[in-house]
Amino acid sequence: MELKWLEDFISLAETGSFSRSAEQRHVSQPAFSRRIRALEAWLGAPLVDRSAYPTQLTAAGEAFKGPAADLISRLHAARALARGMQPVAGNALVFAVPHTLAFAFFPAWLGQLKQAFGEQPTRLMAGNVHDVVTTLVEGGCDLLLCYHHPAYPVWLDPARFEGLRLATETVRPYLPRGLVGNGRWRLPGTPETPIPFLRYGPNTYLRRMVNTILDRAGQPAHLALHYESDMAESLKAMLLAGHGLAFLPASAVTRELERGELSVAGDARWTLEMEVRLYRDRANTRPELLRLWAHLTADVAAADGAR
């Protein structure tokens, strides 16, 4: 038996679709189907009712779903410990967070939360958006913190996962303060002198957000690619060193703006707002998590009522 067979099965149980699960698992549909059959052969029982459409689990499949999800979670936790991760306090809450939010938004938000809620041991698991979402789906964390935008929503089954909108995050173009007077560095630039551009890598969520800004601006931006990185912190470092213009979330440049090191490089056409959302699995009933979630739910409701 292979771990990926269990992960395939949980994906199929969630989507109810061989084709959608094959896409999620980055394999062809025939290969995905073979892996499900291999798991069934190992178990000695059919997990999927192939006489029905849309896809339904058999009684054995429904009975196996919970233990399979628990086993996946335990195996991932055991692997993390085997790789040298130190155990945390038994009541620690595990957050899965994309890199940019982990550097920029999460530390300040957690500080504010502790002032209002009290001390709560936590552990952070940072990664790309795909990996941190997968961590929540596979039961490897208690909470997922991520960006959300209608153009590129993070899809999680609302029957299984519950979400809260914590804040809004604005993405804008920035340039070093010393170049404010240099008109050629302000958007949209010109074909003759394109603006040196610091861009996110092709598989990042913020790359999609920046592409959305550029597509909706109403006029072409004249940019010359000078540097590319998956990390907003890397782009910010290159920006501060004077290598080009970069689009960054506001929480990533709070200190630099306060110190006068950066300036906005374009008007409202080149701006986009995202939401910062927090998600949990409804089946996770850890007391620490439920107490925190109740606090956050009441806090968000009070903030919405005050608007």
Side-chain angles (χ1 to χ4, degrees), residues 101-112:
L101 282 167
F103 280 110
F105 179 87
F106 184 75
W109 175 78
L110 186 63
Q112 295 169 1

Side-chain angles (χ1 to χ4, degrees), residues 275-295:
E275 293 181 358
V276 179
R277 292 189 177 185
L278 191 69
Y279 292 94
R280 76 174 187 97
D281 190 331
R282 297 177 189 272
N284 187 339
T285 56
R286 293 185 59 197
E288 299 84 7
L289 174 60
L290 296 182
R291 285 197 297 271
L292 176 62
W293 196 261
H295 168 81

Side-chain angles (χ1 to χ4, degrees), residues 96 127-136:
N128 61 43
V129 171
H130 175 271
D131 288 347
V132 296
V133 173
T134 301
T135 298
L136 178 68

Side-chain angles (χ1 to χ4, degrees), residues 42-128:
W42 181 82
L43 284 170
L47 299 172
V48 180
D49 183 356
R50 292 175 173 81
S51 68
Y53 185 85
T55 301
Q56 297 177 11
L57 300 183
T58 63
E62 290 290 349
F64 183 62
K65 182 169 61 173
D70 181 63
L71 181 57
I72 290 169
S73 176
R74 290 174 181 271
L75 285 171
H76 280 292
R79 181 176 63 181
L81 288 173
R83 288 177 174 177
M85 294 180 63
Q86 296 298 315
V88 295
N91 65 337
L93 294 177
V94 181
F95 287 79
V97 185
H99 289 295
T100 300
L101 282 167
F103 280 110
F105 179 87
F106 184 75
W109 175 78
L110 186 63
Q112 295 169 1
L113 177 64
K114 286 184 176 181
Q115 290 181 1
F117 181 72
E119 287 293 330
Q120 169 60 55
T122 59
R123 191 178 85 197
L124 177 69
M125 300 175 66
N128 61 43

Side-chain angles (χ1 to χ4, degrees), residues 1-2 6 31 38-39 50 91 114 176 190 218 220-221 223-224 238 240 246 251 275 277 281 301:
M1 196 274 291
E2 298 185 29
L6 295 176
L39 178 60
R50 292 175 173 81
N91 65 337
K114 286 184 176 181
T190 65
L223 302 169
M238 293 293 285
L240 290 168
S251 63
E275 293 181 358
R277 292 189 177 185
D281 190 331

Side-chain angles (χ1 to χ4, degrees), residues 12 16-23 29 32-33 36 48 50 55:
L12 181 61
S17 167
F18 275 82
S19 60
R20 193 189 307 169
S21 286
E23 182 178 351
Q29 187 170 335
F32 183 84
S33 297
I36 294 296
V48 180
R50 292 175 173 81
T55 301

